[in-house]
Coordinates of all heavy atoms in Angstrom, one line a residue:
M1 N 9.5 -4.4 0.0 CA 9.0 -3.2 0.7 C 9.9 -3.0 2.0 O 10.1 -4.0 2.7 CB 7.6 -3.3 1.1 CG 7.0 -2.2 1.8 SD 5.3 -2.5 2.4 CE 4.5 -1.1 1.7
S2 N 10.3 -1.8 2.2 CA 11.0 -1.6 3.5 C 10.6 -0.2 4.0 O 10.9 0.8 3.4 CB 12.5 -1.6 3.2 OG 13.2 -1.3 4.4
E3 N 9.9 -0.2 5.1 CA 9.4 1.1 5.7 C 9.9 1.1 7.1 O 9.6 0.3 7.9 CB 7.9 1.2 5.7 CG 7.3 1.0 4.3 CD 7.5 2.3 3.4 OE1 8.2 3.2 3.9 OE2 7.0 2.3 2.3
A4 N 10.7 2.1 7.4 CA 11.3 2.2 8.8 C 10.3 2.8 9.7 O 9.2 3.4 9.3 CB 12.5 3.1 8.8
F5 N 10.5 2.7 11.1 CA 9.7 3.3 12.1 C 9.5 4.8 11.7 O 10.4 5.5 11.4 CB 10.3 3.3 13.5 CG 10.4 1.9 14.0 CD1 11.7 1.4 14.4 CD2 9.3 1.0 14.1 CE1 11.8 0.1 14.9 CE2 9.4 -0.3 14.6 CZ 10.7 -0.7 15.0
A6 N 8.2 5.3 11.8 CA 7.9 6.7 11.5 C 8.0 7.6 12.7 O 8.0 8.8 12.6 CB 6.6 6.8 10.9
R7 N 8.2 7.0 13.9 CA 8.2 7.8 15.1 C 9.5 8.6 15.1 O 10.5 8.2 14.6 CB 8.1 7.0 16.4 CG 9.3 6.1 16.7 CD 9.3 5.5 18.0 NE 10.1 4.3 18.2 CZ 11.5 4.4 18.3 NH1 12.1 5.6 18.3 NH2 12.2 3.3 18.4
P8 N 9.5 9.8 15.8 CA 10.7 10.6 15.9 C 11.8 9.9 16.7 O 11.5 9.2 17.6 CB 10.2 11.9 16.6 CG 8.9 11.6 17.2 CD 8.3 10.5 16.5
S9 N 13.0 10.1 16.3 CA 14.1 9.4 17.0 C 14.4 10.1 18.3 O 15.0 9.5 19.2 CB 15.4 9.4 16.1 OG 15.7 10.7 15.8
V10 N 13.9 11.4 18.5 CA 14.1 12.1 19.7 C 12.7 12.6 20.2 O 12.0 13.1 19.3 CB 15.1 13.3 19.6 CG1 15.2 14.1 20.8 CG2 16.4 12.8 19.1
G11 N 12.4 12.5 21.4 CA 11.2 13.1 22.0 C 10.0 12.2 22.0 O 8.9 12.6 22.5
A12 N 10.1 11.0 21.4 CA 8.9 10.1 21.4 C 8.6 9.6 22.9 O 9.6 9.4 23.6 CB 9.1 8.9 20.5
V13 N 7.4 9.5 23.2 CA 7.0 9.1 24.6 C 6.8 7.6 24.6 O 6.0 7.0 23.8 CB 5.7 9.8 25.0 CG1 5.3 9.3 26.4 CG2 5.9 11.3 25.0
G14 N 7.5 6.9 25.5 CA 7.4 5.4 25.6 C 6.1 5.0 26.2 O 5.4 5.8 26.9
A15 N 5.8 3.7 26.0 CA 4.6 3.2 26.7 C 4.9 2.8 28.1 O 6.0 2.3 28.4 CB 4.1 1.9 25.9
G16 N 4.0 2.9 29.0 CA 4.2 2.5 30.3 C 3.5 1.1 30.6 O 3.0 0.5 29.6
K17 N 3.4 0.7 31.8 CA 2.8 -0.6 32.1 C 1.2 -0.4 32.1 O 0.5 -1.3 32.6 CB 3.3 -1.2 33.3 CG 4.8 -1.7 33.1 CD 5.3 -2.5 34.2 CE 6.6 -3.1 33.8 NZ 7.2 -4.0 34.9
W18 N 0.8 0.7 31.7 CA -0.7 0.9 31.6 C -1.3 0.4 30.4 O -2.5 0.3 30.2 CB -1.0 2.4 31.8 CG -0.1 3.3 31.0 CD1 0.9 4.1 31.5 CD2 -0.2 3.6 29.6 NE1 1.5 4.8 30.5 CE2 0.8 4.5 29.3 CE3 -1.0 3.2 28.5 CZ2 1.1 5.0 28.0 CZ3 -0.8 3.7 27.3 CH2 0.3 4.6 27.0
R19 N -0.4 -0.1 29.4 CA -1.0 -0.6 28.2 C -1.8 -1.9 28.5 O -1.3 -2.8 29.1 CB 0.2 -0.9 27.2 CG -0.4 -1.3 25.8 CD 0.8 -1.5 24.8 NE 1.7 -2.5 25.3 CZ 3.0 -2.5 25.1 NH1 3.6 -1.5 24.4 NH2 3.8 -3.4 25.5
V20 N -3.0 -1.9 28.0 CA -3.9 -3.0 28.3 C -3.7 -4.2 27.3 O -3.8 -5.4 27.7 CB -5.3 -2.6 28.4 CG1 -6.3 -3.7 28.6 CG2 -5.5 -1.5 29.4
E21 N -3.5 -3.9 26.1 CA -3.4 -4.9 25.0 C -2.2 -4.5 24.1 O -1.8 -3.4 24.0 CB -4.6 -5.0 24.2 CG -5.8 -5.5 24.9 CD -7.1 -5.5 24.0 OE1 -7.3 -4.6 23.2 OE2 -7.7 -6.6 24.0
R22 N -1.6 -5.6 23.5 CA -0.6 -5.3 22.5 C -0.9 -6.0 21.2 O -1.6 -7.1 21.2 CB 0.8 -5.9 23.1 CG 0.9 -7.4 23.2 CD 2.3 -7.9 23.3 NE 3.0 -7.2 24.4 CZ 4.3 -7.2 24.5 NH1 5.1 -7.8 23.6 NH2 5.0 -6.7 25.5
P23 N -0.5 -5.5 20.1 CA -0.8 -6.1 18.8 C 0.3 -7.2 18.5 O 1.5 -7.0 18.7 CB -0.6 -4.9 17.8 CG 0.4 -4.0 18.5 CD 0.2 -4.2 19.9
V24 N -0.3 -8.3 18.1 CA 0.6 -9.5 17.7 C 0.3 -9.8 16.3 O -0.8 -10.0 15.9 CB 0.4 -10.7 18.6 CG1 1.2 -11.9 18.1 CG2 0.7 -10.4 20.1
V25 N 1.4 -9.8 15.5 CA 1.2 -10.0 14.0 C 1.4 -11.4 13.6 O 2.4 -12.1 14.0 CB 2.2 -9.1 13.3 CG1 2.1 -9.2 11.7 CG2 2.1 -7.6 13.7
D26 N 0.5 -12.0 12.9 CA 0.7 -13.3 12.3 C 1.3 -13.1 10.9 O 0.7 -12.7 9.9 CB -0.7 -13.9 12.1 CG -0.6 -15.4 11.5 OD1 0.4 -15.7 10.9 OD2 -1.6 -16.1 11.7
Q27 N 2.6 -13.3 10.9 CA 3.4 -13.0 9.7 C 3.0 -13.9 8.5 O 3.2 -13.5 7.4 CB 4.9 -13.3 10.0 CG 5.5 -12.5 11.2 CD 5.6 -11.0 11.0 OE1 5.5 -10.5 9.9 NE2 5.8 -10.3 12.1
G28 N 2.4 -15.1 8.8 CA 2.0 -16.0 7.8 C 0.7 -15.4 7.0 O 0.5 -15.7 5.9
K29 N -0.1 -14.6 7.7 CA -1.3 -14.0 7.1 C -1.0 -12.7 6.4 O -1.7 -12.3 5.5 CB -2.3 -13.8 8.2 CG -3.2 -14.9 8.5 CD -4.3 -14.4 9.4 CE -5.2 -15.5 9.9 NZ -6.2 -14.9 10.8
C30 N 0.1 -12.0 6.9 CA 0.4 -10.7 6.4 C 0.7 -10.7 4.9 O 1.5 -11.5 4.4 CB 1.6 -10.1 7.2 SG 2.2 -8.6 6.6
I31 N 0.1 -9.7 4.2 CA 0.4 -9.6 2.8 C 1.3 -8.3 2.5 O 1.4 -7.9 1.3 CB -0.9 -9.4 2.0 CG1 -1.7 -8.2 2.5 CG2 -1.7 -10.7 2.0 CD1 -3.0 -7.9 1.6
L32 N 1.9 -7.8 3.5 CA 2.8 -6.7 3.4 C 2.3 -5.5 2.7 O 2.9 -4.8 1.9 CB 4.1 -7.1 2.7 CG 4.9 -8.2 3.5 CD1 6.1 -8.7 2.7 CD2 5.4 -7.7 4.9
C33 N 1.0 -5.2 3.0 CA 0.4 -4.0 2.3 C 0.8 -2.7 2.8 O 0.7 -1.7 2.2 CB -1.2 -4.1 2.4 SG -1.8 -3.9 4.1
G34 N 1.3 -2.7 4.1 CA 1.8 -1.4 4.7 C 0.8 -0.5 5.3 O 1.1 0.5 5.9
L35 N -0.5 -1.0 5.4 CA -1.5 -0.1 6.0 C -1.3 0.1 7.5 O -1.5 1.2 8.0 CB -2.9 -0.7 5.7 CG -3.4 -0.5 4.3 CD1 -4.8 -1.1 4.2 CD2 -3.5 1.0 3.9
C36 N -0.8 -0.9 8.2 CA -0.6 -0.8 9.6 C 0.5 0.3 9.8 O 0.4 1.1 10.7 CB -0.2 -2.1 10.3 SG 1.1 -2.9 9.5
W37 N 1.5 0.2 9.0 CA 2.6 1.2 9.1 C 2.1 2.6 8.8 O 2.4 3.6 9.5 CB 3.7 0.8 8.0 CG 4.8 1.8 8.0 CD1 5.9 1.8 8.7 CD2 4.9 3.0 7.1 NE1 6.7 2.9 8.3 CE2 6.1 3.6 7.3 CE3 4.0 3.5 6.1 CZ2 6.5 4.7 6.7 CZ3 4.4 4.6 5.4 CH2 5.7 5.2 5.7
L38 N 1.2 2.7 7.9 CA 0.6 4.0 7.5 C -0.2 4.6 8.6 O -0.2 5.8 8.8 CB -0.2 3.8 6.2 CG -0.7 5.1 5.5 CD1 0.4 6.0 5.0 CD2 -1.6 4.8 4.4
Y39 N -1.1 3.8 9.2 CA -2.1 4.3 10.1 C -1.6 4.3 11.6 O -2.3 5.0 12.4 CB -3.4 3.5 10.0 CG -4.2 3.8 8.8 CD1 -4.3 2.9 7.7 CD2 -4.8 5.0 8.7 CE1 -5.0 3.2 6.6 CE2 -5.6 5.4 7.6 CZ -5.7 4.5 6.5 OH -6.4 4.8 5.4
C40 N -0.6 3.7 12.0 CA -0.2 3.7 13.4 C 0.1 5.1 13.8 O 1.0 5.8 13.3 CB 1.1 2.8 13.6 SG 1.7 3.0 15.3
P41 N -0.7 5.6 14.8 CA -0.5 7.0 15.2 C 0.8 7.3 15.9 O 1.2 8.5 16.0 CB -1.7 7.3 16.1 CG -2.1 5.9 16.6 CD -1.8 5.0 15.5
D42 N 1.5 6.2 16.4 CA 2.7 6.4 17.1 C 3.9 6.1 16.2 O 5.1 6.3 16.7 CB 2.8 5.6 18.4 CG 2.1 6.4 19.5 OD1 2.7 7.4 19.9 OD2 1.0 5.9 19.9
G43 N 3.7 5.7 15.0 CA 4.8 5.4 14.1 C 5.8 4.3 14.6 O 7.0 4.4 14.5
V44 N 5.2 3.3 15.2 CA 6.1 2.3 15.9 C 6.1 0.9 15.1 O 6.5 -0.1 15.7 CB 5.7 2.1 17.3 CG1 5.8 3.4 18.1 CG2 4.3 1.5 17.5
I45 N 5.6 1.0 13.9 CA 5.6 -0.2 13.1 C 6.7 -0.1 12.0 O 6.8 1.0 11.4 CB 4.2 -0.5 12.5 CG1 3.2 -0.9 13.6 CG2 4.3 -1.6 11.4 CD1 1.8 -1.2 13.1
E46 N 7.4 -1.2 11.8 CA 8.5 -1.2 10.8 C 8.2 -2.4 9.9 O 7.8 -3.5 10.4 CB 9.8 -1.3 11.4 CG 11.0 -1.3 10.4 CD 12.3 -1.4 11.2 OE1 12.4 -2.2 12.1 OE2 13.2 -0.6 10.8
I47 N 8.3 -2.2 8.6 CA 8.2 -3.3 7.6 C 9.5 -3.5 7.0 O 10.0 -2.7 6.3 CB 7.1 -3.1 6.6 CG1 5.8 -2.9 7.3 CG2 7.0 -4.2 5.6 CD1 4.6 -2.6 6.4
E48 N 10.1 -4.7 7.2 CA 11.5 -4.9 6.7 C 11.7 -6.4 6.6 O 11.2 -7.2 7.5 CB 12.5 -4.3 7.7 CG 13.8 -4.2 7.0 CD 14.8 -3.5 8.0 OE1 15.1 -4.2 9.0 OE2 15.3 -2.4 7.7
G49 N 12.4 -6.8 5.6 CA 12.8 -8.2 5.5 C 11.6 -9.2 5.4 O 11.7 -10.3 5.9
G50 N 10.6 -8.7 4.8 CA 9.4 -9.6 4.6 C 8.6 -9.8 5.8 O 7.8 -10.7 5.8
G51 N 8.7 -8.9 6.8 CA 7.9 -9.0 8.0 C 7.6 -7.7 8.6 O 8.1 -6.7 8.3
V52 N 6.6 -7.7 9.5 CA 6.2 -6.6 10.3 C 6.7 -6.6 11.7 O 6.5 -7.7 12.4 CB 4.6 -6.5 10.3 CG1 4.1 -5.4 11.2 CG2 4.1 -6.3 8.9
K53 N 7.3 -5.5 12.1 CA 7.8 -5.5 13.5 C 7.2 -4.3 14.2 O 7.1 -3.2 13.7 CB 9.4 -5.3 13.4 CG 10.1 -5.4 14.6 CD 11.6 -5.3 14.3 CE 12.4 -4.5 15.3 NZ 13.7 -4.2 14.9
V54 N 6.8 -4.6 15.5 CA 6.2 -3.6 16.3 C 7.2 -3.2 17.4 O 7.7 -4.1 18.1 CB 4.9 -4.0 17.0 CG1 4.3 -3.0 17.9 CG2 3.9 -4.4 15.9
D55 N 7.5 -2.0 17.7 CA 8.3 -1.5 18.7 C 7.5 -1.4 20.0 O 6.8 -0.4 20.2 CB 9.0 -0.2 18.4 CG 10.0 0.2 19.5 OD1 10.0 -0.4 20.6 OD2 10.8 1.1 19.2
Y56 N 7.5 -2.4 20.9 CA 6.7 -2.5 22.0 C 7.1 -1.5 23.1 O 6.4 -1.2 24.0 CB 6.6 -3.9 22.6 CG 5.9 -4.9 21.7 CD1 6.5 -6.0 21.2 CD2 4.5 -4.7 21.4 CE1 5.9 -6.8 20.3 CE2 3.9 -5.6 20.6 CZ 4.6 -6.7 20.1 OH 3.9 -7.5 19.2
E57 N 8.3 -0.9 23.0 CA 8.7 0.1 23.9 C 7.9 1.3 23.8 O 7.7 2.1 24.7 CB 10.2 0.5 23.7 CG 11.2 -0.5 24.1 CD 11.2 -0.7 25.6 OE1 11.3 0.4 26.3 OE2 11.2 -1.8 26.1
Y58 N 7.3 1.6 22.6 CA 6.6 2.8 22.3 C 5.1 2.5 21.9 O 4.3 3.5 22.0 CB 7.3 3.6 21.2 CG 8.6 4.1 21.6 CD1 9.8 3.4 21.4 CD2 8.7 5.4 22.2 CE1 11.0 4.0 21.9 CE2 9.9 5.9 22.7 CZ 11.0 5.2 22.5 OH 12.2 5.7 22.9
C59 N 4.8 1.3 21.5 CA 3.4 1.0 21.1 C 2.4 1.3 22.3 O 2.7 0.8 23.4 CB 3.3 -0.4 20.7 SG 1.6 -1.1 20.6
K60 N 1.3 2.0 22.1 CA 0.4 2.4 23.1 C -0.8 1.4 23.2 O -1.6 1.5 24.1 CB -0.1 3.8 22.9 CG 1.0 4.9 22.8 CD 1.9 4.9 23.9 CE 2.9 6.1 23.8 NZ 3.8 6.1 22.7
G61 N -0.8 0.5 22.3 CA -1.9 -0.5 22.3 C -3.2 0.0 21.9 O -4.3 -0.6 22.3
C62 N -3.3 1.0 21.0 CA -4.6 1.6 20.6 C -5.4 0.7 19.8 O -6.6 0.8 19.7 CB -4.3 2.9 19.9 SG -3.5 2.7 18.3
G63 N -4.8 -0.2 19.0 CA -5.5 -1.2 18.2 C -5.9 -0.7 16.8 O -6.5 -1.4 16.0
V64 N -5.4 0.5 16.4 CA -5.7 1.0 15.1 C -5.1 0.1 14.0 O -5.8 -0.2 13.0 CB -5.1 2.4 14.9 CG1 -5.1 2.9 13.5 CG2 -5.9 3.4 15.8
C65 N -3.9 -0.4 14.3 CA -3.3 -1.3 13.3 C -4.1 -2.6 13.0 O -4.4 -3.0 11.9 CB -1.9 -1.7 13.7 SG -1.8 -2.4 15.4
A66 N -4.7 -3.1 14.1 CA -5.5 -4.3 14.0 C -6.8 -4.0 13.3 O -7.3 -4.8 12.5 CB -5.8 -4.9 15.4
E67 N -7.4 -2.8 13.5 CA -8.6 -2.4 12.8 C -8.4 -2.3 11.3 O -9.2 -2.6 10.5 CB -9.1 -1.1 13.4 CG -10.0 -1.1 14.6 CD -11.2 -1.9 14.4 OE1 -12.0 -1.7 13.4 OE2 -11.5 -2.7 15.3
E68 N -7.2 -1.7 11.0 CA -7.0 -1.4 9.6 C -6.5 -2.5 8.7 O -6.5 -2.5 7.5 CB -6.0 -0.2 9.5 CG -6.5 1.1 10.1 CD -7.8 1.6 9.3 OE1 -7.9 1.3 8.2 OE2 -8.6 2.3 10.0
C69 N -5.9 -3.5 9.4 CA -5.3 -4.7 8.6 C -6.4 -5.3 7.8 O -7.4 -5.8 8.3 CB -4.7 -5.7 9.5 SG -4.0 -7.1 8.6
P70 N -6.2 -5.4 6.5 CA -7.3 -5.9 5.6 C -7.5 -7.4 5.6 O -8.5 -8.0 5.2 CB -6.9 -5.4 4.2 CG -5.4 -5.3 4.3 CD -5.1 -4.9 5.7
V71 N -6.5 -8.1 6.2 CA -6.6 -9.6 6.2 C -6.6 -10.2 7.6 O -6.5 -11.4 7.8 CB -5.4 -10.2 5.4 CG1 -5.5 -9.9 3.9 CG2 -4.0 -9.8 6.0
G72 N -6.8 -9.3 8.6 CA -6.9 -9.8 10.0 C -5.6 -10.5 10.5 O -5.7 -11.4 11.3
A73 N -4.5 -9.9 10.1 CA -3.2 -10.5 10.5 C -2.7 -10.0 11.9 O -1.8 -10.5 12.4 CB -2.1 -10.2 9.5
I74 N -3.4 -9.0 12.4 CA -3.0 -8.4 13.7 C -4.1 -8.7 14.7 O -5.2 -8.3 14.5 CB -2.7 -6.9 13.6 CG1 -1.7 -6.7 12.5 CG2 -2.2 -6.4 14.9 CD1 -1.3 -5.2 12.3
K75 N -3.7 -9.3 15.8 CA -4.7 -9.5 16.9 C -4.2 -8.8 18.1 O -3.0 -8.7 18.4 CB -4.7 -11.0 17.3 CG -5.2 -11.9 16.2 CD -6.5 -12.6 16.7 CE -7.2 -13.4 15.6 NZ -7.4 -12.8 14.3
M76 N -5.1 -8.2 18.9 CA -4.8 -7.5 20.1 C -4.9 -8.5 21.2 O -5.9 -9.2 21.4 CB -5.7 -6.3 20.4 CG -5.7 -5.2 19.3 SD -4.1 -4.6 19.0 CE -3.8 -3.6 20.5
V77 N -3.8 -8.6 22.0 CA -3.7 -9.6 23.0 C -3.5 -9.0 24.4 O -2.7 -8.0 24.5 CB -2.4 -10.6 22.7 CG1 -2.2 -11.5 23.8 CG2 -2.6 -11.3 21.4
R78 N -4.2 -9.4 25.4 CA -4.2 -8.9 26.7 C -2.7 -8.9 27.2 O -2.0 -9.9 27.1 CB -5.1 -9.7 27.6 CG -5.2 -9.2 29.0 CD -6.3 -8.2 29.1 NE -6.4 -7.7 30.5 CZ -7.2 -6.7 30.9 NH1 -7.9 -6.1 30.0 NH2 -7.2 -6.3 32.1
E79 N -2.3 -7.8 27.8 CA -1.0 -7.7 28.5 C -1.0 -8.5 29.8 O -2.0 -8.6 30.5 CB -0.6 -6.3 28.8 CG -0.2 -5.5 27.6 CD 1.2 -5.8 27.0 OE1 1.8 -6.8 27.5 OE2 1.7 -5.1 26.2
R80 N 0.1 -9.1 30.1 CA 0.3 -9.8 31.4 C 1.6 -9.2 32.0 O 2.7 -9.8 31.9 CB 0.5 -11.3 31.2 CG -0.7 -11.9 30.6 CD -1.7 -12.4 31.7 NE -2.8 -13.1 31.1 CZ -4.1 -12.6 31.1 NH1 -4.3 -11.4 31.7 NH2 -5.1 -13.2 30.5
W81 N 1.5 -8.0 32.6 CA 2.6 -7.4 33.2 C 3.0 -8.1 34.5 O 2.2 -8.4 35.3 CB 2.4 -5.9 33.5 CG 2.1 -5.1 32.3 CD1 0.9 -4.5 31.9 CD2 3.0 -4.7 31.3 NE1 1.0 -3.8 30.7 CE2 2.3 -3.9 30.3 CE3 4.4 -4.9 31.1 CZ2 3.0 -3.3 29.2 CZ3 5.0 -4.3 30.0 CH2 4.3 -3.5 29.1
E82 N 4.4 -8.2 34.7 CA 4.9 -8.6 36.0 C 5.0 -7.4 36.8 O 5.9 -6.5 36.5 CB 6.3 -9.3 35.8 CG 6.3 -10.5 34.9 CD 5.9 -11.7 35.6 OE1 6.1 -11.8 36.8 OE2 5.4 -12.6 34.9
L83 N 4.2 -7.2 37.8 CA 4.3 -5.9 38.6 C 5.0 -6.2 39.9 O 5.2 -7.3 40.4 CB 2.9 -5.4 38.9 CG 2.1 -5.0 37.6 CD1 0.7 -4.6 38.0 CD2 2.8 -3.8 36.9
Ligands
LIG101 S1 -1.6 -0.7 18.8 FE1 -1.6 1.4 18.1 S2 0.4 2.2 18.7 FE2 0.6 0.0 18.8 S3 1.4 -0.6 16.8 FE3 -0.9 -0.7 16.6 S4 -1.5 1.3 15.9 FE4 0.6 1.5 16.6
LIG102 S1 -1.9 -4.1 7.6 FE1 -1.9 -6.3 8.0 S2 -1.4 -7.2 6.0 FE2 -0.9 -5.0 5.9 S3 1.3 -5.0 6.4 FE3 0.2 -4.7 8.3 S4 0.0 -6.8 9.2 FE4 0.6 -7.0 7.1

């Protein structure tokens, strides 16, 4: 399976340091079903080379991907910004 980022290449709004949590994928648990790619409202998930990649420049930390993952492979982790 290979699904590229669905976000627009021009005009997408990046995430700021206001993001409270970020999704972290346990690649060992992932079954490559593609649901996180399908449901991410910002289109910042890519599935390629047998793994899931999140573009943290644009991810807003909404947690939809973690909610939708059927095997619990995505955990939301508190951000630790250097301010
Ligand atoms: S936290 Fe939200 S914006 Fe970030 S990858 Fe998951 S669904 Fe997409
Ligand atoms: S929803 Fe979960 S199992 Fe499916 S591709 Fe995403 S991380 Fe992998």
Side-chain angles (χ1 to χ4, degrees):
M1 176 188 236
S2 179
E3 302 288 2
F5 294 124
R7 69 171 162 73
S9 56
V10 177
V13 178
K17 290 193 172 180
W18 43 260
R19 186 175 59 215
V20 177
E21 293 182 314
R22 66 164 55 200
V24 174
V25 182
D26 181 339
Q27 306 288 348
K29 275 191 184 175
C30 173
I31 57 171
L32 296 175
C33 69
L35 285 180
C36 55
W37 176 88
L38 186 65
Y39 284 109
C40 173
D42 275 293
V44 301
I45 291 178
E46 184 179 43
I47 300 179
E48 196 180 67
V52 172
K53 185 172 143 194
V54 178
D55 185 345
Y56 293 117
E57 286 292 313
Y58 291 91
C59 167
K60 307 302 187 300
C62 65
V64 169
C65 53
E67 271 307 307
E68 295 299 333
C69 178
V71 294
I74 304 179
K75 293 243 175 314
M76 299 304 290
V77 174
R78 182 91 182 169
E79 285 285 9
R80 298 270 181 248
W81 296 109
E82 301 279 333
L83 297 176

